[in-house]
Amino acid sequence: MRTKERRDRVLVAAIRDQRAHLLSVVRYCALVFVLLRLLTFVVGVVAVGLVPALDPVDVPGWPAPVPEPGWHNLFTAWERFDALWFLRIAEEGYRVGDGSAAFFPLFPVTVRAVSFVAGGHPFGAALVVSNLAFLAALVVTYLLTDLEYDERRARATVVLLAFFPTSYFFLMPYSESLFLLLAVAAFWFARRGSWVGAGIAGALAALTRSVGIALAPALAIEALHRRAEGRDRAWPGLLAAVATAGGTLAYLGSWELRAGDALAPLHTQQSWERTFSWPWASLWEGTRTAFRYVDDTNGGYWLLDWLIVIPFLAAAAYALARTRPSYGVYVLVTLLIPLSFVFEDRTLMSMPRFVLVVFPAFWAAAEVADRRRVPALALAALGTCGIGLLTVLTVNWYYVF
């Protein structure tokens, strides 16, 4: 009896410790989130009218707001560019031939559900979804990083991720925050051998963004790796990988039923003037044009792309060499897809946003910074400067993307 009571006390103490640890993680991530949210609130209000705004760009069925100074920009400053597409789809659904097929469905579907509960306010619902998803993504990223490394690395990673120069896209009505949450959750489940959770998270991620397909080979590699380590049988993990691919196939299948064109999400890329390019050619052209157009009126776009993307790719390459094979596959595929379908005259366009979800690169950055004794807060301060500059451009309709 005493032995059983002793085991019960140990179990209760362990549960209490886990809860206390989780609470401390949530508090830390919430603090980082609030600091970023306050920063973007301030910049959003100040930025509108700080520079001459470009003409807003409407999307079919959703007029673009005209930037006007005022306190309303705490929120309305973030209704820009692709946010309009997500809001239109959430409110009215997809249309054949208008370009909406390029936007995967889970984020707008979630926004529509929250909007319905809130009484029909899609923009407010979209902000709620993206912001809560990002807070949750920070928590899960912390937990996964602690599992793979330690709490020191976890804290640094969360800070570097939150204060990356384009991290404000996580707080806009964009799908990046929801995708990051689901992608990291898929790995967190997989690394704990919870393959049902990994498969569900992977399939949902594949329904959120096109690069979600990268999780399928990553989970398959993780399943085989764990089998080689003698931890699990391979088939549950392989089924999770299949389920993930099934998310992408389900979306393509919906367009086969809707328009008789399962590849409509890919064909739509032509409407967005994106063409195939070998990744190395994209990087070479992006480097060449970054310095070729510096003196031109809009030459800063090419240089900003390069200054953000190239250092990030260096961190990603380091992560590729230092992390488990499954993470390496995720890094590689997630980067190769956007580098292979580019805007011909600006091959690195949108890459500063696309790289946000490549979370192992932030592990690498945190490790290098620690080895070089560079405080993560110093890098965060540099990222904050980038957030300030790019936010001013974004809310005034400059083509940062």
Side-chain angles (χ1 to χ4, degrees), residues 343-390:
F343 186 74
E344 188 172 1
D345 293 331
R346 185 178 159 196
T347 57
L348 298 182
M349 186 174 73
S350 297
M351 281 299 296
R353 173 168 64 90
F354 293 155
V355 300
L356 283 170
V357 299
V358 188
F359 63 89
F362 293 97
W363 289 346
E367 179 181 339
V368 172
D370 188 53
R371 289 189 174 187
R372 299 288 182 178
R373 297 186 178 181
V374 177
L377 291 179
L379 294 179
L382 183 62
T384 300
C385 295
I387 291 172
L389 171 62
L390 296 180

Coordinates of all heavy atoms in Angstrom, one line a residue, residues 343-390:
F343 N 8.4 35.4 -59.7 CA 8.0 36.5 -60.5 C 9.3 36.8 -61.3 O 10.3 37.2 -60.8 CB 7.6 37.7 -59.6 CG 7.1 38.8 -60.3 CD1 5.8 38.8 -60.9 CD2 7.9 40.0 -60.4 CE1 5.3 39.9 -61.6 CE2 7.4 41.1 -61.1 CZ 6.1 41.1 -61.7
E344 N 9.2 36.8 -62.6 CA 10.4 36.8 -63.5 C 11.2 38.0 -63.3 O 12.5 37.9 -63.3 CB 9.9 36.7 -64.9 CG 11.1 36.5 -65.9 CD 10.6 36.2 -67.3 OE1 9.4 36.2 -67.5 OE2 11.5 36.1 -68.2
D345 N 10.6 39.2 -63.1 CA 11.4 40.4 -63.0 C 11.9 40.7 -61.6 O 12.7 41.6 -61.3 CB 10.6 41.6 -63.5 CG 10.4 41.5 -65.0 OD1 11.2 40.9 -65.7 OD2 9.3 42.0 -65.4
R346 N 11.5 39.8 -60.6 CA 11.9 40.0 -59.2 C 11.8 38.6 -58.5 O 10.9 38.3 -57.8 CB 11.0 41.0 -58.5 CG 11.4 41.4 -57.1 CD 10.4 42.5 -56.5 NE 10.4 42.5 -55.1 CZ 9.5 43.1 -54.3 NH1 8.5 43.7 -54.9 NH2 9.6 43.1 -53.0
T347 N 12.9 37.9 -58.7 CA 12.8 36.4 -58.4 C 12.7 36.2 -56.9 O 12.3 35.1 -56.5 CB 14.0 35.7 -59.0 OG1 15.2 36.3 -58.5 CG2 14.0 35.8 -60.5
L348 N 13.1 37.1 -56.1 CA 13.0 36.9 -54.6 C 11.8 37.6 -54.0 O 11.7 37.6 -52.8 CB 14.3 37.4 -53.9 CG 15.6 36.7 -54.3 CD1 16.8 37.2 -53.5 CD2 15.5 35.2 -54.1
M349 N 10.9 38.1 -54.8 CA 9.7 38.7 -54.3 C 8.9 37.7 -53.5 O 8.7 36.6 -53.9 CB 8.8 39.3 -55.5 CG 7.7 40.1 -55.0 SD 6.7 40.9 -56.3 CE 5.9 39.4 -57.0
S350 N 8.4 38.2 -52.3 CA 7.6 37.4 -51.4 C 8.4 36.4 -50.5 O 8.0 35.9 -49.5 CB 6.5 36.7 -52.0 OG 5.5 37.6 -52.6
M351 N 9.7 36.2 -51.0 CA 10.5 35.2 -50.2 C 10.7 35.7 -48.7 O 10.7 34.8 -47.8 CB 11.8 35.0 -50.9 CG 11.8 34.0 -52.0 SD 11.2 32.4 -51.6 CE 12.5 31.8 -50.5
P352 N 10.9 37.0 -48.5 CA 11.0 37.4 -47.0 C 9.8 37.0 -46.2 O 10.0 36.8 -45.0 CB 11.2 38.9 -47.1 CG 11.8 39.2 -48.5 CD 11.1 38.1 -49.4
R353 N 8.7 36.8 -46.8 CA 7.5 36.3 -46.1 C 7.4 34.8 -46.1 O 7.1 34.2 -45.1 CB 6.2 36.9 -46.7 CG 4.9 36.3 -46.1 CD 3.7 37.1 -46.5 NE 3.5 37.1 -48.0 CZ 2.7 36.2 -48.6 NH1 2.2 35.2 -48.0 NH2 2.5 36.3 -49.9
F354 N 7.7 34.2 -47.2 CA 7.6 32.8 -47.3 C 8.6 32.0 -46.3 O 8.3 31.0 -45.8 CB 8.0 32.3 -48.7 CG 6.9 32.7 -49.8 CD1 7.3 32.8 -51.1 CD2 5.6 33.0 -49.4 CE1 6.4 33.2 -52.1 CE2 4.7 33.4 -50.4 CZ 5.1 33.5 -51.7
V355 N 9.7 32.6 -46.0 CA 10.7 32.0 -45.2 C 10.3 31.9 -43.7 O 10.9 31.2 -42.9 CB 12.1 32.6 -45.3 CG1 12.6 32.6 -46.7 CG2 12.1 34.1 -44.7
L356 N 9.2 32.7 -43.3 CA 8.8 32.8 -41.9 C 8.5 31.4 -41.3 O 8.8 31.2 -40.1 CB 7.6 33.7 -41.8 CG 7.8 35.2 -41.9 CD1 6.4 35.9 -42.0 CD2 8.6 35.7 -40.7
V357 N 8.0 30.5 -42.1 CA 7.5 29.2 -41.6 C 8.6 28.2 -41.5 O 8.4 27.1 -41.0 CB 6.3 28.7 -42.3 CG1 5.2 29.7 -42.3 CG2 6.7 28.4 -43.8
V358 N 9.8 28.5 -42.0 CA 11.0 27.6 -41.9 C 11.6 27.7 -40.6 O 12.8 28.2 -40.4 CB 12.0 27.9 -43.1 CG1 13.0 26.8 -43.2 CG2 11.2 28.0 -44.4
F359 N 10.9 27.1 -39.6 CA 11.4 27.3 -38.2 C 12.7 26.7 -37.8 O 13.4 27.3 -37.0 CB 10.3 26.8 -37.2 CG 10.0 25.3 -37.3 CD1 10.7 24.4 -36.6 CD2 9.1 24.8 -38.2 CE1 10.5 23.1 -36.7 CE2 8.8 23.5 -38.3 CZ 9.5 22.6 -37.5
P360 N 13.2 25.6 -38.4 CA 14.5 25.2 -38.1 C 15.6 26.2 -38.3 O 16.7 26.1 -37.7 CB 14.7 23.9 -38.9 CG 13.3 23.4 -39.2 CD 12.5 24.7 -39.3
A361 N 15.4 27.1 -39.3 CA 16.4 28.1 -39.5 C 16.6 29.0 -38.3 O 17.7 29.5 -38.1 CB 16.1 28.9 -40.8
F362 N 15.5 29.2 -37.6 CA 15.6 30.0 -36.4 C 16.4 29.3 -35.3 O 17.0 29.9 -34.4 CB 14.2 30.5 -35.9 CG 13.6 31.4 -36.9 CD1 12.6 31.0 -37.8 CD2 13.8 32.8 -36.8 CE1 12.0 31.8 -38.7 CE2 13.2 33.6 -37.7 CZ 12.3 33.2 -38.7
W363 N 16.3 28.0 -35.3 CA 17.1 27.2 -34.3 C 18.6 27.4 -34.7 O 19.4 27.6 -33.8 CB 16.8 25.7 -34.5 CG 15.5 25.3 -34.0 CD1 14.7 25.9 -33.2 CD2 14.9 24.0 -34.2 NE1 13.5 25.2 -32.9 CE2 13.6 24.0 -33.5 CE3 15.2 22.9 -35.0 CZ2 12.8 22.9 -33.5 CZ3 14.3 21.8 -35.0 CH2 13.1 21.8 -34.3
A364 N 18.9 27.4 -35.9 CA 20.3 27.6 -36.4 C 20.8 29.0 -36.0 O 21.9 29.1 -35.5 CB 20.4 27.3 -37.9
A365 N 19.9 30.0 -36.2 CA 20.3 31.3 -35.9 C 20.6 31.5 -34.4 O 21.5 32.1 -33.9 CB 19.3 32.3 -36.3
A366 N 19.7 30.8 -33.6 CA 19.9 30.9 -32.1 C 21.2 30.2 -31.7 O 21.9 30.7 -30.8 CB 18.7 30.3 -31.5
E367 N 21.5 29.1 -32.3 CA 22.7 28.4 -32.0 C 23.9 29.2 -32.3 O 24.9 29.3 -31.5 CB 22.8 27.0 -32.7 CG 24.0 26.2 -32.4 CD 24.1 24.9 -33.1 OE1 23.0 24.4 -33.5 OE2 25.2 24.4 -33.3
V368 N 24.0 29.7 -33.5 CA 25.1 30.5 -34.0 C 25.3 31.7 -33.1 O 26.4 32.1 -32.7 CB 25.0 30.9 -35.5 CG1 26.1 31.9 -35.9 CG2 25.0 29.7 -36.4
A369 N 24.2 32.4 -32.8 CA 24.3 33.6 -32.0 C 24.8 33.2 -30.6 O 25.6 34.0 -30.0 CB 22.9 34.2 -31.8
D370 N 24.4 32.1 -30.0 CA 24.9 31.7 -28.7 C 26.4 31.4 -28.8 O 27.1 31.8 -27.9 CB 24.1 30.5 -28.3 CG 24.4 30.1 -26.8 OD1 24.3 31.0 -25.9 OD2 24.7 28.9 -26.6
R371 N 26.8 30.7 -29.8 CA 28.2 30.4 -29.9 C 29.1 31.6 -30.1 O 30.2 31.7 -29.6 CB 28.4 29.4 -31.1 CG 27.9 28.0 -30.9 CD 28.3 27.1 -32.0 NE 28.0 25.7 -31.7 CZ 28.4 24.6 -32.4 NH1 29.1 24.8 -33.5 NH2 28.0 23.4 -32.1
R372 N 28.6 32.6 -30.8 CA 29.3 33.8 -31.0 C 29.1 34.8 -29.9 O 29.6 35.9 -30.0 CB 28.8 34.5 -32.4 CG 29.1 33.6 -33.6 CD 30.6 33.5 -33.9 NE 30.8 32.7 -35.1 CZ 32.0 32.5 -35.7 NH1 33.1 33.1 -35.1 NH2 32.1 31.8 -36.8
R373 N 28.3 34.4 -28.9 CA 28.0 35.2 -27.8 C 27.3 36.6 -28.2 O 27.6 37.6 -27.7 CB 29.2 35.5 -27.0 CG 29.8 34.3 -26.4 CD 31.0 34.5 -25.4 NE 31.5 33.3 -24.8 CZ 32.5 33.3 -24.0 NH1 33.1 34.4 -23.6 NH2 32.9 32.1 -23.5
V374 N 26.5 36.4 -29.2 CA 25.6 37.6 -29.6 C 24.3 37.4 -29.0 O 23.6 36.4 -29.2 CB 25.5 37.6 -31.2 CG1 24.5 38.7 -31.6 CG2 26.8 37.7 -31.8
P375 N 23.8 38.3 -28.1 CA 22.5 38.2 -27.5 C 21.4 38.1 -28.5 O 21.4 38.8 -29.5 CB 22.4 39.4 -26.6 CG 23.8 39.9 -26.4 CD 24.5 39.5 -27.7
A376 N 20.5 37.2 -28.2 CA 19.3 37.1 -29.1 C 18.5 38.4 -29.1 O 18.0 38.8 -30.2 CB 18.4 36.0 -28.6
L377 N 18.6 39.2 -28.0 CA 17.9 40.4 -28.0 C 18.5 41.5 -29.0 O 17.8 42.3 -29.5 CB 17.9 41.0 -26.6 CG 17.0 40.3 -25.6 CD1 17.1 40.9 -24.2 CD2 15.6 40.2 -26.0
A378 N 19.8 41.3 -29.2 CA 20.5 42.2 -30.1 C 20.0 41.9 -31.5 O 19.7 42.9 -32.3 CB 22.0 42.1 -30.1
L379 N 19.9 40.7 -31.9 CA 19.3 40.3 -33.2 C 17.9 40.7 -33.3 O 17.4 41.2 -34.4 CB 19.5 38.8 -33.4 CG 20.9 38.3 -33.5 CD1 20.9 36.7 -33.8 CD2 21.6 38.9 -34.7
A380 N 17.1 40.6 -32.2 CA 15.7 41.0 -32.2 C 15.6 42.5 -32.4 O 14.7 43.0 -33.1 CB 15.1 40.6 -30.9
A381 N 16.5 43.3 -31.8 CA 16.5 44.7 -32.0 C 16.8 45.1 -33.5 O 16.1 46.0 -34.1 CB 17.6 45.4 -31.2
L382 N 17.7 44.3 -34.2 CA 17.9 44.5 -35.6 C 16.6 44.2 -36.4 O 16.2 44.9 -37.3 CB 19.1 43.7 -36.0 CG 19.5 43.8 -37.5 CD1 19.9 45.2 -37.8 CD2 20.6 42.8 -37.8
G383 N 16.0 43.0 -36.0 CA 14.8 42.7 -36.6 C 13.7 43.7 -36.4 O 12.8 43.9 -37.3
T384 N 13.6 44.3 -35.3 CA 12.6 45.3 -35.0 C 12.8 46.5 -35.9 O 11.8 47.1 -36.4 CB 12.7 45.8 -33.5 OG1 12.5 44.7 -32.6 CG2 11.7 46.9 -33.2
C385 N 14.0 46.9 -36.2 CA 14.2 48.0 -37.2 C 13.6 47.6 -38.6 O 13.0 48.4 -39.2 CB 15.7 48.2 -37.3 SG 16.5 48.9 -35.8
G386 N 13.8 46.3 -38.9 CA 13.3 45.8 -40.2 C 11.8 45.8 -40.2 O 11.1 46.2 -41.1
I387 N 11.2 45.4 -39.0 CA 9.7 45.5 -38.9 C 9.2 46.9 -39.1 O 8.2 47.1 -39.8 CB 9.3 44.9 -37.5 CG1 9.6 43.4 -37.4 CG2 7.8 45.2 -37.3 CD1 9.3 42.9 -36.0
G388 N 9.9 47.9 -38.5 CA 9.5 49.2 -38.6 C 9.5 49.7 -40.0 O 8.5 50.3 -40.5
L389 N 10.6 49.4 -40.7 CA 10.7 49.9 -42.1 C 9.7 49.2 -43.0 O 9.0 49.9 -43.8 CB 12.1 49.6 -42.6 CG 12.4 49.8 -44.1 CD1 12.1 51.3 -44.5 CD2 13.8 49.4 -44.5
L390 N 9.6 47.9 -42.9 CA 8.8 47.2 -43.9 C 7.3 47.4 -43.6 O 6.5 47.4 -44.5 CB 9.1 45.7 -43.8 CG 10.5 45.3 -44.2 CD1 10.7 43.8 -44.1 CD2 10.8 45.7 -45.7

